[in-house]
């Protein structure tokens, strides 16, 4: 099938990329039940990071660490391509609302931030002129565009302490105020007390005065 035919029949699953990108996109779209432009960007950024850092990706170890700058489909595109996952503690969300990511080789300390070129949307239209919407044009074009038209890569130095973020296995503390366990050395010492960040006022919630009745409790059977 030609590209044009694929575009004409563009279903939400339109994978037109060559391998190995196509395989990555099939995997990320299977997780989402759709393929979208941001997944494509995420997968291509991850692959590009592997080239720039000289790492074979997706990794099966934890050598590469990724900071994604937004969540959603994009992050899963990055994960599928790199093997960095929130669940493997090789990915962290720094939510500044950008479709961009920084990839760090934890062995060498080398880091590169990759983002779409600011003019990527205009350039994209030339790669899928017959697409039935702009969204479809991006979906197709991001799979086909050469890297130098799609992405910018910039070597960077981290200003956060990656070793502290990764921390060590098996570290446990107990908050002296709420009594909850804290792992990965996220506790703080405040007035000589070991406390969690929530109890020192860095929490993201306040409690509500309401008691759950029995029918709200999880089924105990
Ligand atoms: Zn999506
Ligand atoms: Zn606490």
């Amino acid at each position: 099938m030609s590209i044009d035919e694929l575009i004409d029949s563009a279903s939400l699953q339109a994978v037109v990329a060559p391998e190995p990108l196509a395989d990555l996109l099939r995997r990320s779209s299977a997780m989402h039940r759709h393929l979208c432009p941001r997944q494509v960007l995420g997968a291509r950024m991850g692959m590009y990071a592997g080239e720039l850092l000289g790492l074979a990706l997706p990794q099966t170890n934890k050598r590469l660490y990724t900071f994604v700058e937004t969540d959603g489909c994009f992050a899963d595109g990055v994960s599928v391509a790199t093997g960095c996952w929130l669940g493997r503690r090789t990915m962290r969300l720094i939510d500044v609302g950008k479709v961009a990511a920084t990839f760090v080789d934890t062995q060498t300390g080398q880091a590169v931030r990759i983002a779409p070129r600011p003019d990527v949307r205009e350039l994209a239209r030339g790669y899928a002129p017959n697409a039935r919407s702009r969204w479809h044009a991006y979906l197709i074009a991001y799979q086909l565009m050469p890297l130098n038209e799609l992405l910018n890569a910039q070597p960077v130095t981290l200003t956060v302490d990656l070793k502290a973020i990764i921390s060590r296995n098996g570290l446990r503390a107990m908050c002296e105020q709420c009594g909850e366990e804290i792992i990965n050395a996220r506790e703080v010492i405040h007035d000589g007390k070991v406390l969690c960040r929530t109890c020192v006022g860095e929490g993201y919630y306040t409690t509500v005065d309401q008691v759950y009745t029995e029918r709200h409790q999880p089924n105990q059977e």
Side-chain angles (χ1 to χ4, degrees):
M1 216 193 280
S2 73
I3 297 286
D4 271 353
E5 283 172 306
L6 277 167
I7 293 166
D8 283 344
S9 67
S11 72
L12 297 185
Q13 305 291 341
V15 174
V16 296
E19 299 294 345
L21 177 60
D23 181 53
L24 297 174
L25 296 179
R26 281 190 288 269
R27 281 194 265 160
S28 73
S29 60
M31 289 168 56
H32 285 277
R33 298 172 179 226
H34 74 262
L35 186 62
C36 59
R38 286 180 189 164
Q39 276 174 62
V40 180
L41 284 174
R44 292 209 64 186
M45 281 184 203
M47 287 176 68
Y48 192 23
E51 265 178 53
L52 293 171
L53 297 171
L55 298 174
L57 302 178
Q59 68 186 0
T60 50
N61 57 14
K62 296 192 172 185
R63 179 167 172 173
L64 184 72
Y65 194 96
T66 301
F67 294 87
V68 285
E69 298 186 9
T70 189
D71 50 14
C73 298
F74 162 71
D76 282 339
V78 173
S79 284
V80 166
T82 57
C84 292
W85 298 87
L86 208 55
R88 299 207 73 215
R89 306 201 65 242
T90 44
M91 175 174 276
R92 190 176 181 85
L93 172 64
I94 307 281
D95 195 350
V96 292
K98 295 185 186 180
V99 177
T102 293
F103 303 88
V104 190
D105 181 346
T106 58
Q107 258 175 43
T108 63
Q110 208 187 340
V112 60
R113 181 175 181 271
I114 303 179
R117 270 179 55 150
D119 55 352
V120 69
R121 288 203 172 99
E122 287 110 82
L123 293 171
R125 278 181 231 164
Y127 285 85
N130 302 322
R132 58 184 157 108
S133 73
R134 277 195 294 188
W135 187 92
H136 286 88
Y138 303 145
L139 177 63
I140 301 296
Y142 292 169
Q143 298 178 59
L144 303 174
M145 291 168 74
L147 280 173
N148 65 340
E149 292 188 30
L150 186 71
L151 302 173
N152 279 337
Q154 169 71 51
V156 295
T157 302
L158 294 181
T159 55
V160 293
D161 184 350
L162 185 56
K163 278 210 176 78
I165 289 171
I166 294 172
S167 187
R168 290 201 321 274
N169 259 341
L171 293 182
R172 284 190 168 75
M174 191 78 87
C175 176
E176 291 182 40
Q177 191 165 315
C178 67
E180 293 185 342
E181 185 181 83
I182 307 154
I183 60 172
N184 296 325
R186 300 309 195 239
E187 66 273 20
V188 290
I189 309 294
H190 193 77
D191 289 340
K193 279 185 168 178
V194 176
L195 297 173
C196 71
R197 293 186 181 275
T198 307
C199 288
V200 295
E202 294 175 23
Y204 66 96
Y205 60 86
T206 57
T207 54
V208 174
D209 197 15
Q210 180 196 336
V211 178
Y212 287 113
T213 58
E214 226 161 81
R215 70 196 165 87
H216 289 112
Q217 296 288 345
N219 199 334
Q220 302 282 327
E221 285 171 87

